[in-house]
Amino acid sequence: MADDSFRCVKCKQHVDTLSFGTTQRNHCPQCLWSRHVDNFPGDRKAACGGPMEPLAVFVAQGGEWMLIHRCKSCGVLHENRIAGDDSVMLLLAVAAKPLANPPVPMEFLS
């Protein structure tokens, strides 16, 4: 594999980091999982290397969608820009997860 690609830590798909105009991609467009490779966005200096689970989606200032990942090894949280070829269905599923599993019991909401 070239230096501008990697194999997904979760689904093992080949991921091209240079697709759709990004040079700092570190998550898989198929399953949205990542690897803990950065201390700060794009530095590639993290020693952990653990798998990072996509936890949430939020809309940043300016309307750009971002993913929140949590490292399964060390627990660090990172935000990542989405890319044009990310699975829209999975992005929506991650965004809807809190609605399907609210943080408080439903009986407290009535």
Side-chain angles (χ1 to χ4, degrees):
M1 253 183 286
D3 287 342
D4 56 355
S5 65
F6 63 90
R7 189 154 309 277
C8 176
V9 66
K10 181 73 172 175
C11 72
K12 309 300 184 214
Q13 291 291 318
H14 176 264
V15 178
D16 182 5
T17 60
L18 300 178
S19 65
F20 290 89
T22 182
T23 58
Q24 295 183 355
R25 167 183 248 154
N26 67 349
H27 69 271
C28 174
Q30 303 299 313
C31 70
L32 305 179
W33 278 68
S34 184
R35 183 177 293 277
H36 187 182
V37 296
D38 293 342
N39 292 321
F40 299 99
D43 71 5
R44 302 301 194 247
K45 292 184 178 180
C48 178
M52 296 188 79
E53 178 180 17
L55 290 184
V57 174
F58 76 96
V59 180
Q61 192 171 15
E64 182 177 23
W65 278 40
M66 306 284 284
L67 274 166
I68 299 290
H69 286 99
R70 179 175 51 213
C71 181
K72 300 292 273 183
S73 296
C74 71
V76 74
L77 295 169
H78 277 289
E79 61 185 49
N80 289 291
R81 299 171 75 184
I82 66 163
D85 60 344
D86 285 348
S87 168
V88 174
M89 293 304 291
L90 280 178
L91 287 168
L92 292 173
V94 170
K97 193 185 294 185
L99 299 173
N101 189 16
V104 296
M106 293 298 290
E107 56 267 15
F108 291 138
L109 300 176
S110 59

